[in-house]
Amino acid sequence: MIDVYTWTTGNSRKIPIFLEEAQVPYRLHMVNIRIGEQFKPEFVAICPNSKVPAIIDQEGPGGNPFALFESGAILIYLADKYGKFIGKDAAERYRTIEWVMFQMANVGPLFGQANHFLNKTPEKIPYAIERYVTEAKRITMVMEKRLGEVEYLAGDYSIADIASYVWLRNPKNEGIALEDYPNVKRWFNAVDARPAVQRAHKAVEDAAKQYQAMKVAV
């Protein structure tokens, strides 16, 4: 059993998607980052960086509970443990990890900054908007070129696709229009249509509703 500590953000959905794809039993624990639950001591004990997602594998290495944070590390750990979505040989494995690292180092941080300066700051800062939206578009073009050569980022469907897909669900937040990137749009639609992906979204949304109902009841 995998205990997943998460919220409704895009990044938080990576792990439920993998677990649905791999048909691994899991429990969702909602950590409401909008009210600071990520800073509670019990969560910090699992994730010192106070970020979702994080997991506890109740049957980790040596058969002991194993806590892990950072979504890229979690995806690689789970893919290795269950032997799925990471490539069959060394070359395929490292090609997959390469594109996971691309997401962790580029897509997530720079898309996040583009969204922040476009939509979150009280005052618009033109320099910051131009810088990060330009970078978001450049990164999307890197994916566009790659996806013009292969069906999925690492060749076959993998954790690399799960990692980046969640960041393209609301591209307008980063100043991006998928229509400008036909290969990315084709890839996004293919991932989005997967039954396991849709089950994961539903599981997260249902868990969020249950969380809210519990808060109202209290």
Side-chain angles (χ1 to χ4, degrees), residues 2-216:
I2 307 293
D3 287 292
V4 183
Y5 297 81
T6 191
W7 188 238
T8 58
T9 60
N11 206 48
S12 299
R13 296 170 187 247
K14 295 176 185 175
I15 310 310
I17 289 173
F18 175 91
L19 294 169
E20 288 286 351
E21 290 280 15
Q23 299 182 5
V24 174
Y26 66 98
R27 291 182 292 239
L28 291 177
H29 305 270
M30 304 309 285
V31 179
N32 190 342
I33 61 174
R34 307 201 192 288
I35 62 173
E37 289 184 346
Q38 70 272 33
F39 300 110
K40 289 185 174 181
E42 55 268 33
F43 182 69
V44 175
I46 301 168
C47 176
N49 195 34
S50 295
K51 300 286 185 181
V52 289
I55 68 166
I56 297 178
D57 181 358
Q58 298 298 337
E59 297 179 355
N64 299 312
F66 180 63
L68 194 63
F69 69 99
E70 287 296 334
S71 61
I74 297 168
L75 286 173
I76 294 168
Y77 169 77
L78 292 172
D80 282 344
K81 176 171 181 172
Y82 295 105
K84 295 187 176 185
F85 308 118
I86 197 168
K88 302 176 185 66
D89 58 29
E92 291 178 356
R93 170 183 168 78
Y94 285 105
R95 185 66 67 215
T96 303
I97 292 173
E98 173 182 68
W99 284 98
V100 171
M101 294 300 105
F102 171 80
Q103 186 276 305
M104 299 295 291
N106 296 279
V107 177
L110 294 169
F111 276 34
Q113 292 293 343
N115 181 28
H116 177 76
F117 285 107
L118 269 173
N119 304 303
K120 308 294 186 183
T121 54
E123 296 181 9
K124 297 298 183 184
I125 306 173
Y127 171 80
I129 292 172
E130 181 179 1
R131 171 177 169 74
Y132 289 112
V133 170
T134 297
E135 274 296 282
K137 290 179 177 179
R138 183 190 68 80
I139 290 164
T140 308
M141 186 55 71
V142 173
M143 297 173 66
E144 173 71 9
K145 183 175 184 300
R146 173 65 175 167
L147 292 166
E149 302 166 348
V150 291
E151 186 175 4
Y152 295 102
L153 288 170
D156 293 329
Y157 180 71
S158 72
I159 56 174
D161 303 294
I162 295 171
S164 283
Y165 153 79
V166 296
W167 286 93
L168 270 298
R169 295 182 70 231
N170 295 291
K172 67 180 185 301
N173 288 345
E174 293 79 43
I176 295 168
L178 284 188
E179 288 70 22
D180 297 335
Y181 307 92
N183 295 320
V184 173
K185 184 177 180 180
R186 182 269 309 162
W187 161 84
F188 174 86
N189 288 339
V191 176
D192 192 57
R194 294 176 69 90
V197 172
Q198 291 304 311
R199 288 198 303 271
H201 289 316
K202 185 177 186 305
V204 170
E205 297 300 334
D206 287 349
K209 290 176 184 176
Q210 291 173 7
Y211 167 92
Q212 297 292 353
M214 289 174 58
K215 291 294 184 183
V216 170

